[in-house]
Amino acid sequence: MELLSITKTSSLGSKDSSQREKADSGMPERRATMPPPSDIVKVAIEWPGANAQLIEIDQKKPLSSIIREVCDGWSLSGSEQFALRYADGPQLYITEQSRGEIKNGTILRLAISPTRAARQLLDRIQSHGIDARLEALKELAKLSADPTFATEFINMEGIGTLARLVESGTHFGEMLAFTLTAFLELMDHGIVSWDLISLSFIKQIAGYVNQPMVDVSILQRSLAILESMVLNSHSLYHRVAQEITVGQLIGHLQVSNQEIQTYAIALINALFLKAPEDRRQEDHTNPLDQCLTEMASTLAQKHLRSIILNHVIRGNRPIKAEMAHQLYVLQVLTFNLLEERMMTKMDPTDQAQRDIIFELRRIAFDGENDPTGTEKRKAMYTKDYKMLGFINHVNPALDFTQTPPGMLALDNMLYLAKLHQDTYIRIVLENSSREDKHECPFGRCAIELTRMLCEILQVGELPNEGCNDYHPMFFTHDRAWEEFFCVCIQLLNKTWKEMRATTEDFNKVMQVVREQINRALAMKPSSLEQLKSKLRSLNYAEILRLRQSERMSQDDFQSAPIIELRERIQPEIMELIKQQRLNRLCEGSCFRKLGNRRRQEKFWFCRLSLNHKVLHYGDLDESPQGEVPFELLTDKIPVSDIKSVVTGKDCPHMKEKSALKQNKEVLELAFSILYDPDEALNFVAPSKYEYCIWTDGLCALLGREMGSDLTRSDLDTLISMEMKLRLLDLENITIPEAPPPVPKEPSSYNFTYNYG
């Protein structure tokens, strides 16, 4: 970069001297008012053992002509055997399609062409020398991330060669690790189909996963390859499911390496996520269906849950973002096992299902003597069903014909009645004996509560790509869903009594209960006991207090003088928020690159210069722990070049990647900077907070209004605080709507102050 600085300085110096010569010769001075053409890019090009060339690249010229000129500068023949690569970052090859991304000041490197590099590496990895083969595989693992090189290598049947090396079983240690890395990188480009992978290759990879003692790097890559197979090929899913079971993966959750744990849970999630939808209807004599049945039972069993709880969630290491995402996915997939029951309507003619309702009645009213006559028994049952709180007293089976929650609601009620019998009987009897119209209808409440919990926990929905919202308490009990229901139905009954509600208030009570549950879940209780404690503190009086406090913070002062004071304060508060946003942009943020494999953890960092004139950004090998120096961020965009900031579906990367476009959560965190000539810098924020910070800060840089939810919240909070401070001396004093009248003038001004 120092060479480039010298070049620019000397260029300016030569320009000044030429202007002086024109002045001395009497020639009229011509001022250069036009900016340099946008097609011209000034770069430095390196070659080992030679001084760097400082050249201007004309983007209109063919790339081959530019390479020929560079080779001529170093007297290199055969320019068609060479190519240009970036010297920093991923060091990708530059092609006609990607050359538009070259910026002024970029350092490039002359290298052998991707075709030549692919041929040389393919020959070297098949050589007999072990050291030469190891070095070739190491270089191949690095180059395989380049799509240009990958295309050439794959066209030379390179993937088949790597697969045969793995199948031979002759590679071990580092050599095998580099082979698997290169294979995975090449396959991730999507150039060839995963369906072409042979069964022997799958068995070999599965063998590495099942070996008790295997190198960590080999195990990590083997788990990643199996996950990619499952996610990208329906036919390979069946083969992998026969070779690897969830039970075999449990052992990898007990290690101390969180990366291995993350890959193991990711593979478990992939196996469940891609399981055929008709698995429950298949013949259970089918070996594959037996495997799927085993997987479903393994997911629900205590062994897997307790290992994840003790070795992952309660381990000695903090949970990283990718592990949190995989735990969230596992939580969603676990709850999705309830979807079948949730979408199953009750058949009023099915005696087995009707017997469950009879059992609910029997447990609640077992002490009462049944009348002998059929008509009397029917009348008594109708009365009992009414006391149980069903809408249809004569045939309560009709209450379970709506989906959701379908039969899942009846399952929850039966679990409560059998496993928490005292609680069940107390809720039913204390409400059935009331005569003041304040009874809480247990049946109706249980059905509606089940529907509400399905909505809150998104039962039946696919996991979101960017979400890490897992709840540790759901890993603390074998029947976490049912226990969660039992806690919430007691909360509902308690809130009903606190509100002194009647049947007409049913919807109001359910709204309060939803708010209580959401607020408690937001506190991330680590156990069901903690959940109970937090729900006890969130009683109806506390909910009213919180609502009133939030309402007052939004619109507590409505008189004309207060509104006028608010309008006067608002500009300085907005300026304060603006400065905070710009300061955060100067500190910078780390963004994760979205790719096929999340656990590659590729990051890039972006921050604003201290003078607010340039955005610096660049790739990082790992997530930074603190501030990243400007020197490590090799790319930059002048703020003056930014045309606009777009969000959501208008972002270029959202339009190009349909899978991301369909992901609502990723869509809500996406934004792009559009700058000259017609390029974009694309972001996916790690959180809603960072999204608001960056979109606000960029809008402030462009002189536009900051309109995020965070800005509105901060504005309301700061204005409320400032106004309360300014009005502190006026506490308990009524502020009039109009200013007081001006007093009359005194009859004379003949008055003095005597200071004696």
Side-chain angles (χ1 to χ4, degrees):
M1 293 306 292
E2 293 177 359
L3 290 172
L4 290 177
S5 301
I6 293 171
T7 305
K8 293 178 180 178
T9 304
S10 61
S11 174
L12 290 171
S14 62
K15 178 179 177 182
D16 292 341
S17 62
S18 64
Q19 289 177 346
R20 285 195 297 270
E21 289 173 1
K22 289 180 180 180
D24 294 340
S25 62
M27 294 176 62
E29 181 181 344
R30 296 177 60 189
R31 294 189 176 183
T33 58
M34 296 294 293
S38 59
D39 295 326
I40 303 299
V41 183
K42 297 180 179 181
V43 300
I45 302 180
E46 299 176 338
W47 175 254
N51 293 328
Q53 295 187 38
L54 307 176
I55 68 171
E56 294 183 350
I57 293 180
D58 186 351
Q59 295 286 36
K60 293 181 179 179
K61 291 178 62 175
L63 192 58
S64 57
S65 300
I66 297 172
I67 296 173
R68 188 181 306 112
E69 293 176 5
V70 173
C71 290
D72 292 343
W74 284 310
S75 301
L76 299 174
S77 59
S79 61
E80 66 278 357
Q81 298 294 319
F82 293 92
L84 292 177
R85 294 171 60 186
Y86 289 99
D88 301 317
Q91 301 182 4
L92 301 178
Y93 278 102
I94 295 170
T95 64
E96 289 288 355
Q97 291 74 29
S98 65
R99 62 185 295 180
E101 299 175 7
I102 302 175
K103 306 292 188 300
N104 280 318
T106 303
I107 302 178
L108 305 180
R109 179 176 299 161
L110 185 67
I112 61 174
S113 67
T115 304
R116 185 179 171 191
R119 174 54 60 192
Q120 289 181 358
L121 286 175
L122 193 59
D123 293 339
R124 288 165 58 193
I125 63 176
Q126 299 179 83
S127 64
H128 297 291
I130 295 179
D131 292 339
R133 193 186 306 173
L134 177 61
E135 286 301 315
L137 287 169
K138 185 176 181 180
E139 187 176 349
L140 177 63
K142 183 178 180 180
L143 276 175
S144 295
D146 189 308
T148 307
F149 170 84
T151 302
E152 298 296 335
F153 190 81
I154 291 172
N155 289 339
M156 297 176 186
E157 303 296 331
I159 286 184
T161 302
L162 293 178
R164 287 191 293 273
L165 290 176
V166 174
E167 292 171 10
S168 66
T170 57
H171 283 50
F172 304 97
E174 272 191 313
M175 192 175 294
L176 178 58
F178 287 132
T179 304
L180 296 178
T181 301
F183 177 86
L184 189 56
E185 291 284 0
L186 292 167
M187 291 301 297
D188 271 348
H189 291 293
I191 300 173
V192 295
S193 172
W194 282 90
D195 291 325
L196 301 177
I197 303 303
S198 66
L199 181 59
S200 59
F201 180 85
I202 297 174
K203 288 181 177 293
Q204 190 69 33
I205 297 297
Y208 298 139
V209 173
N210 293 329
Q211 284 181 15
M213 298 294 292
V214 66
D215 185 78
V216 171
S217 57
I218 295 174
L219 176 59
Q220 189 180 62
R221 288 156 179 79
S222 298
L223 289 168
I225 289 173
L226 291 174
E227 182 197 2
S228 293
M229 288 179 182
V230 171
L231 294 176
N232 292 286
S233 172
H234 180 71
S235 60
L236 289 189
Y237 162 80
H238 293 279
R239 296 179 180 179
V240 172
Q242 291 174 337
E243 297 293 331
I244 298 289
T245 64
V246 177
Q248 292 169 321
L249 294 173
I250 286 179
H252 298 305
L253 299 177
Q254 298 173 279
V255 299
S256 59
N257 189 322
Q258 190 173 121
E259 295 296 322
I260 295 298
Q261 292 175 326
T262 304
Y263 276 93
I265 295 181
L267 180 53
I268 292 173
N269 290 337
L271 288 168
F272 280 96
L273 191 62
K274 293 298 180 179
E277 294 182 2
D278 58 345
R279 63 187 182 273
R280 297 183 179 90
Q281 283 74 38
E282 294 181 15
D283 181 7
H284 285 261
T285 60
N286 185 308
L288 177 61
D289 192 57
Q290 291 177 355
C291 174
L292 292 169
T293 304
E294 177 190 351
M295 286 164 52
S297 61
T298 304
L299 186 60
Q301 69 177 322
K302 179 179 180 180
H303 190 45
L304 174 63
R305 177 196 60 76
S306 61
I307 286 176
I308 291 176
L309 178 66
N310 296 322
H311 292 272
V312 179
I313 297 176
R314 294 178 178 173
N316 297 324
R317 300 166 306 282
I319 300 294
K320 295 181 179 179
E322 179 55 31
M323 174 60 84
H325 172 74
Q326 294 301 334
L327 290 173
Y328 154 77
V329 173
L330 184 61
Q331 172 185 291
V332 171
L333 296 178
T334 303
F335 286 142
N336 282 356
L337 294 175
L338 304 168
E339 183 182 8
E340 183 183 19
R341 295 293 286 174
M342 181 183 75
M343 300 307 295
T344 300
K345 296 180 180 181
M346 185 172 187
D347 183 1
T349 62
D350 189 324
Q351 187 59 42
Q353 295 180 1
R354 290 167 61 89
D355 287 344
I356 299 176
I357 300 178
F358 293 154
E359 182 69 6
L360 291 175
R361 193 212 67 81
R362 185 195 65 77
I363 294 174
F365 308 110
D366 188 42
E368 299 183 9
N369 296 321
D370 289 340
T372 55
T374 303
E375 292 299 324
K376 291 183 179 180
R377 186 183 299 113
K378 184 176 180 180
M380 180 61 72
Y381 283 1
T382 301
K383 179 183 177 182
D384 290 347
Y385 291 145
K386 183 177 181 180
M387 289 192 291
L388 278 170
F390 289 112
I391 297 176
N392 295 280
H393 309 148
V394 177
N395 187 5
L398 297 175
D399 286 14
F400 300 95
T401 56
Q402 289 188 354
T403 58
M407 290 294 292
L408 184 59
L410 187 58
D411 295 341
N412 287 340
M413 296 166 70
L414 185 63
Y415 181 90
L416 175 69
K418 286 192 171 183
L419 276 296
H420 299 273
Q421 194 169 109
D422 292 343
T423 300
Y424 168 71
I425 294 174
R426 175 178 57 79
I427 293 175
V428 172
L429 294 185
E430 75 177 15
N431 286 288
S432 62
S433 60
R434 300 184 67 167
E435 299 293 339
D436 54 1
K437 298 184 179 180
H438 290 286
E439 67 277 1
C440 176
F442 169 75
R444 183 184 176 188
C445 288
I447 294 171
E448 187 59 33
L449 178 63
T450 302
R451 180 186 292 109
M452 179 195 298
L453 297 183
C454 290
E455 293 173 358
I456 292 174
L457 298 177
Q458 300 178 336
V459 176
E461 296 185 17
L462 290 177
N464 289 323
E465 170 69 22
C467 187
N468 301 337
D469 188 24
Y470 79 98
H471 296 280
M473 69 174 183
F474 290 128
F475 294 88
T476 63
H477 200 283
D478 299 334
R479 305 291 295 272
W481 165 265
E482 290 85 351
E483 289 295 321
F484 184 48
F485 168 83
C486 293
V487 172
C488 293
I489 193 67
Q490 295 178 71
L491 168 72
L492 196 160
N493 185 61
K494 173 173 168 286
T495 302
W496 186 284
K497 290 188 291 185
E498 291 172 348
M499 294 178 66
R500 292 190 55 80
T502 63
T503 307
E504 289 76 13
D505 301 319
F506 182 84
N507 291 331
K508 293 180 181 179
V509 175
M510 297 307 298
Q511 290 174 4
V512 173
V513 171
R514 179 187 287 269
E515 185 174 347
Q516 290 171 313
I517 294 172
N518 282 328
R519 287 182 183 272
L521 289 178
M523 301 178 195
K524 292 298 174 81
S526 59
S527 66
L528 289 166
E529 288 303 318
Q530 277 196 17
L531 174 69
K532 294 177 184 178
S533 175
K534 295 185 184 302
L535 288 174
R536 279 195 295 269
S537 64
L538 287 169
N539 53 37
Y540 180 55
E542 178 66 10
I543 292 295
L544 289 180
R545 189 192 67 78
L546 290 171
R547 286 180 175 180
Q548 184 178 11
S549 175
E550 293 169 358
R551 191 180 303 115
M552 287 180 64
S553 67
Q554 296 173 2
D555 53 4
D556 48 356
F557 302 119
Q558 295 298 326
S559 64
I562 300 301
I563 292 175
E564 182 180 350
L565 176 61
R566 182 185 182 95
E567 291 173 352
R568 290 188 179 185
I569 293 175
Q570 183 165 327
E572 63 182 83
I573 298 297
M574 285 299 295
E575 183 63 26
L576 184 66
I577 295 174
K578 174 183 174 181
Q579 291 304 319
Q580 188 270 341
R581 300 294 193 264
L582 293 177
N583 289 339
R584 278 288 289 107
L585 264 61
C586 290
E587 294 174 8
S589 297
C590 181
F591 301 90
R592 185 172 54 81
K593 289 188 173 181
L594 290 181
N596 293 335
R597 302 196 314 280
R598 294 171 51 100
R599 282 152 307 289
Q600 282 183 316
E601 291 294 327
K602 291 185 177 180
F603 300 94
W604 67 286
F605 197 89
C606 186
R607 62 180 297 197
L608 179 65
S609 63
L610 299 180
N611 61 4
H612 300 172
K613 292 185 177 180
V614 179
L615 276 174
H616 298 263
Y617 65 97
D619 293 336
L620 300 176
D621 294 331
E622 58 184 15
S623 180
Q625 298 302 317
E627 191 175 275
V628 177
F630 288 110
E631 293 76 17
L632 297 180
L633 305 176
T634 56
D635 299 309
K636 58 185 178 181
I637 300 173
V639 173
S640 58
D641 288 351
I642 298 177
K643 294 180 179 178
S644 64
V645 177
V646 295
T647 61
K649 63 182 180 181
D650 295 326
C651 297
H653 57 319
M654 292 295 104
K655 294 178 181 178
E656 294 170 2
K657 299 182 179 181
S658 58
L660 294 179
K661 188 176 179 181
Q662 294 170 1
N663 192 314
K664 181 179 178 182
E665 186 133 356
V666 173
L667 198 63
E668 291 176 348
L669 299 177
F671 62 98
S672 297
I673 295 174
L674 306 183
Y675 61 98
D676 290 332
D678 288 310
E679 300 184 20
L681 182 62
N682 301 314
F683 299 75
V684 176
S687 64
K688 187 67 175 177
Y689 175 80
E690 289 292 334
Y691 170 85
C692 294
I693 287 289
W694 274 85
T695 52
D696 282 343
L698 292 171
C699 287
L701 280 177
L702 300 178
R704 298 174 185 171
E705 182 181 355
M706 300 182 295
S708 72
D709 294 338
L710 183 62
T711 292
R712 288 190 288 271
S713 174
D714 288 348
L715 182 64
D716 289 341
T717 301
L718 293 174
I719 286 183
S720 176
M721 291 174 60
E722 182 67 18
M723 291 179 66
K724 288 176 181 178
L725 287 173
R726 295 195 183 191
L727 299 174
L728 198 59
D729 293 336
L730 298 179
E731 190 173 3
N732 298 324
I733 296 177
T734 303
I735 301 175
E737 289 291 331
V742 178
K744 295 180 180 180
E745 293 187 11
S747 57
S748 75
Y749 291 89
N750 299 326
F751 49 84
T752 60
Y753 292 97
N754 185 355
Y755 295 100

